[in-house]
Every structure is written in structure tokens, then in C-alpha cells.
Amino acid sequence: MTNANILIVDDDTALLQALPQALFLRMQNINVDTSDSAAGALQLIRAREYDAIVSDIKMPGMDGLALLVKIRELRQNTPTLLITGHGDHNLAIQALRGGAYDFIPKPIDRDYFVAALRRAIQMHQLQRQVLEQQRALEEYAKSLELKIMDRTNELIKANTAKDEFISMASHELKTPLSSLKGMTQLLHRRLVRAGSSEVVNLVSMENSIRRIEVLVNDLLSISYIETGTLTLNCRRCNMGDLCQSLVDEFQAGVNPSPIMHVDIADDNIEANVDIERISQVVLNLFANARKYSPARSPIHLSLKRLDDHYVISVRDEGVGIPPEELPQIFERFYRVPGIEVQTGSSVGFGLGLYISQQIVERHGGKIHVESMPGSGSIFSVVLPLPVVDSSACEHAKSAIDRHS
Ligand code: ADP
């Protein structure tokens, strides 16, 4: 027990001398103040905090019960023990109901008195320790909160700087890449015309340029998405024609030309889409279907109308994706560990599906995947049909939600 401050209040001056002496004999590290009236006691209580207060119940003027009420107002946590007359059970019960910690019946048994006081002091000191720990914890929590706020601000700044860098770098790379592409195309035509065998080398250069173009385009798209500047330019379009032209474009651009099965169940599907962006999505699904399947493994494209929406599905017969990985594959920069590229280049940042999902969702649609390791994957793009007002194509989600 650390140093304890005790206050004894009694109008009986003999007892006021005897009780402290009894305490000094039996307890160490204590400081005892005395007062012969409740009024005097209140002055002391206002001035300092006691570990326990002992007061006679019957005193002239303000009695012990009234003093107890005041103590509870001033020092709610200070335990107060009231000295009651012999057999005065009613007063003792009143004292306990009024919030007294304990009562000491007269004649006072010194050992009982000291034991009761010791309990009260220990309880109060423990309470104080708990309060101090609570305060320290609160301070610590506050300082942690401030630290977290600082770190969050730093991260926001770093993230903004990263977005700015990606945006600047991808824009800066785009222009020289376009002229490089134009120049190699020109050179290609000239070499073909001249019948030069150098064409072969140029083709591998063109393939490298195409791969860099894929990466730069992914970075550009991500920069538009992250900065909220991905805008859609929706136009009326026949989806069957668009799908067929994308199949043709993909087959022409890849060597050897992939085997593709096309099933356009309805060639009358007219929709409002950003043709560039939806093409980007479908070509990305074709590229993935090829990348993650053995060479010459067929890729299936189907287009179907279902009530008020239509579905473009791209199916492959490749390596497939383990079920536990499926929720992650649409996250930024996520590439399934252990899935190796089977055909073509392994180029990719793990951004294609994230970008595709963002584009489809901006059209009010959804993108789903079903996959079985070893059997292949089906990616389905579900889009609303028809969207009457082209400006509404970003808000047409409800039609899809009803079917998902
Ligand atoms: P990446 O540039 O790596 O292809 P994506 O965002 O397009 O990025 O795809 C994310 C990951 O999902 C890929 O790295 C691959 O692990 C997995 N994945 C995507 N499409 C397929 C598919 N058709 N078959 C198997 N795995 C796929």
C-alpha cells in the first residue's frame, strides 16, 4: 500500500484523538487529518484528495449522512465509512444506501476499524490505478490516432504522386511509341516491296513495339481510372458486327493465327457502347484466353441476347484458375501465382481484368468468370440492352442487377 491520506470527522474530541493513535499503531505510511465538524471536513476535502474518509453519523449541525451526500458530489470515488451508534441498524442501512463504503458500529472495535479502513484504502488506490491506466491508454490511443492520420496523409500524398507519375510517364511514352510504330509500318511496306529478307527482323521489332504498346495503354487506362477521367463516348453499334470485327482483328494480329469459334446467336443486337473501350475489354479477354492456353487451343466467342441484356462470352480450354484465386483476379496488379503463360509473351502488369471490369461497370454492366483448373475459363461480359439515351449508359446498372 502506498502512502494513504485519511480524514476522520467526529465531534467527540476524545475519539478524534484516540482513533488516529489506534491507526498509527497498526498501520504504516499513513497520514491522518481530523476535523470536529462536517463543515471543517468539507474544507479539507475540497483542498485535497483522501484515500478514505471516516465520519461519525451523529454530529451537531450537518450530520454524517448529509456530509456523505456532499462528499459524493465533491469526490465521488472516495470511500466513506460512517460510525453508527450501537444497534443503529436503520442508520447503517441508510448510510449504505447513500453510497457509504462501510459502517463502523460503536463501541469501535479497533481491529475491525483498521481492517475496514485498509480495505477501503486498497479499493480506492486500485481504483485510482485503473483510472490512471485508463487515462494513459486514452492518451496512447490519441497519439496513435494522430500517427495514423499522419501516415494516412503521407500515403495519400504518395499515392497522388504515383498517379501523377503514371499519368505523365504513360502520356510521354505514347507519342514516341506511335511514331516508332508508324515508322516501322512504313519500313515494313518498303522492305516487302523491295523483297528484302530483313522483313523477318522487322516483324520481331514490330511485335516488341506491340507489347510495349499494350503496357503503355494499360498504364494510360489505369491513370484515367484512378484520376476519375475515364470518360465514355457511347455510340449506337451492332454488337454482332463489332464482335466479328474484333475476332478478325485479333486473328490478323497474332502469329500463328489462333483458332477461334464464333457463335453469334443474334446478329440484331444494337447497343450504345464506347466502341473503343468495349473492344479493349474483348481483345483483352482474347489475349488472356490465348496467353493461358496451349498454342492452337481454340478460343470460343459467343454473343447472346437474354431479356433486357446481352452477354459476350469468351471461353478458352486452357489452364483454368483455382477457385480460391477467382475473387482476386479482378484486383489491380494481381497475377495468379503459379499460372504460367502458355502461348505468346508473358508481358502484363496484372491490370487487364481490373481495367476491363471498370470499363464494363461504367457501361452499367458486369463481368463474371467461371473456371476449372485444367479445363479452361469462361469470362462473360453482361451489358444492358437497349440503352435509349447514350448519356445513360453509365447508369444502366439496374437492368443487370436484376439478373445477377
Ligand atoms: P495479366 O496482364 O497478368 O494477364 P489480367 O488482369 O488480365 O493481367 O489477369 C490477371 C490474372 O488472372 C492473370 O495474371 C492470370 O493469372 C489470370 N487469368 C486471367 N485470364 C485468365 C485465363 N483466361 N485463364 C487462366 N488465368 C487467367
Side-chain angles (χ1 to χ4, degrees):
M1 202 159 72
T2 53
N3 255 7
N5 292 317
I6 300 157
L7 173 64
I8 301 180
V9 191
D10 205 317
D11 59 320
D12 177 345
T13 46
L15 207 57
L16 210 54
Q17 277 184 356
L19 287 181
Q21 275 166 15
L23 292 182
F24 287 132
L25 281 175
R26 292 169 174 82
M27 292 169 83
Q28 282 167 354
N29 301 330
I30 53 163
N31 170 54
V32 183
D33 288 345
T34 55
S35 171
D36 60 4
S37 71
L42 279 175
Q43 271 182 8
L44 291 170
I45 291 164
R46 276 193 192 98
R48 76 187 299 183
E49 187 178 351
Y50 289 99
D51 292 291
I53 300 170
V54 183
S55 172
D56 194 6
I57 248 187
K58 286 192 176 147
M59 291 188 293
M62 187 188 292
D63 67 2
L65 287 173
L67 177 63
L68 178 65
V69 173
K70 292 278 178 202
I71 295 171
R72 307 276 300 151
E73 283 169 17
L74 289 170
R75 304 276 184 192
Q76 208 202 353
N77 294 324
T78 307
T80 305
L81 295 89
L82 290 182
I83 301 170
T84 55
H86 177 67
D88 224 344
H89 296 300
N90 281 346
L91 270 184
I93 288 166
Q94 245 178 291
L96 292 176
R97 281 195 182 140
Y101 175 75
D102 206 349
F103 65 91
I104 317 281
K106 276 182 183 167
I108 296 175
D109 173 328
R110 299 298 196 254
D111 289 334
Y112 177 86
F113 172 58
V114 169
L117 199 59
R118 214 174 241 143
R119 273 202 309 275
I121 293 167
Q122 266 168 358
M123 192 270 297
H124 185 240
Q125 289 186 340
L126 274 176
Q127 228 172 30
R128 212 158 48 190
Q129 269 173 25
V130 169
L131 276 178
E132 272 160 21
Q133 278 167 0
Q134 210 170 324
R135 247 177 248 138
L137 274 178
E138 277 166 13
E139 290 290 311
Y140 186 60
K142 257 187 224 147
S143 75
L144 273 185
E145 245 169 59
L146 286 178
K147 250 189 215 156
I148 288 170
M149 258 164 65
D150 284 352
R151 294 290 292 140
T152 309
N153 286 338
E154 278 170 24
L155 287 174
I156 290 172
K157 272 191 204 146
N159 203 33
T160 312
K162 179 217 65 187
D163 285 347
E164 280 166 4
F165 174 75
I166 290 180
S167 164
M168 190 193 68
S170 48
H171 279 96
E172 291 295 319
L173 286 169
K174 183 86 183 158
T175 320
L177 194 63
S178 298
S179 54
L180 205 59
K181 198 175 157 189
M183 284 186 303
T184 48
Q185 276 167 353
L186 199 68
L187 199 58
H188 190 128
R189 278 198 292 273
R190 279 191 193 158
L191 289 178
V192 169
R193 263 202 305 269
S196 169
S197 57
E198 291 298 318
V199 172
V200 186
N201 295 330
L202 198 68
V203 167
S204 77
M205 195 163 138
E206 281 174 321
N207 285 340
S208 299
I209 291 175
R210 206 170 293 131
R211 288 203 285 273
I212 298 174
E213 202 183 13
V214 168
L215 295 179
V216 171
N217 282 340
D218 272 4
L219 287 180
L220 261 179
S221 301
I222 213 79
S223 138
Y224 290 137
I225 291 166
E226 300 296 285
T227 53
T229 50
L230 179 83
T231 47
L232 296 184
N233 181 14
C234 292
R235 276 179 291 149
R236 199 79 170 167
C237 162
N238 180 292
M239 294 313 293
D241 291 349
L242 179 63
C243 286
Q244 188 56 61
S245 74
L246 291 172
V247 169
D248 296 342
E249 180 184 333
F250 185 68
Q251 283 187 306
V254 180
N255 197 3
S257 181
I259 301 164
M260 297 196 66
H261 298 299
V262 181
D263 174 15
I264 297 177
D266 184 339
D267 57 8
N268 247 338
I269 297 174
E270 298 281 330
N272 271 329
V273 289
D274 183 320
I275 296 171
E276 289 293 313
R277 293 291 175 197
I278 290 297
S279 302
Q280 186 181 350
V281 171
V282 176
L283 288 173
N284 178 52
L285 295 180
F286 287 165
N288 279 351
R290 178 174 175 263
K291 264 201 291 189
Y292 301 107
S293 303
R296 312 299 296 157
S297 162
I299 299 169
H300 308 259
L301 169 105
S302 80
L303 171 68
K304 281 195 210 72
R305 182 196 298 260
L306 286 173
D307 302 331
D308 50 3
H309 59 279
Y310 61 99
V311 187
I312 305 169
S313 298
V314 176
R315 179 166 71 84
D316 64 59
E317 297 174 19
V319 291
I321 305 163
E324 68 278 9
E325 296 290 346
L326 291 177
Q328 275 101 266
I329 59 168
F330 292 98
E331 285 172 12
R332 275 185 322 163
F333 302 112
Y334 193 80
R335 308 191 80 189
V336 178
I339 289 197
E340 302 295 332
V341 170
Q342 311 289 304
T343 308
S345 139
S346 68
V347 70
F349 287 134
L351 287 174
L353 287 179
Y354 172 75
I355 294 168
S356 299
Q357 188 182 48
Q358 292 290 320
I359 293 172
V360 171
E361 286 181 356
R362 302 270 165 118
H363 279 80
K366 287 204 167 153
I367 183 164
H368 301 291
V369 57
E370 289 159 61
S371 192
M372 186 69 81
S375 304
S377 313
I378 309 175
F379 285 85
S380 302
V381 174
V382 187
L383 288 162
L385 179 91
V387 180
V388 181
D389 172 8
S390 66
S391 68
C393 75
E394 297 227 15
H395 308 286
K397 255 192 156 115
S398 54
I400 298 299
D401 287 338
R402 269 183 277 133
H403 292 276
S404 60

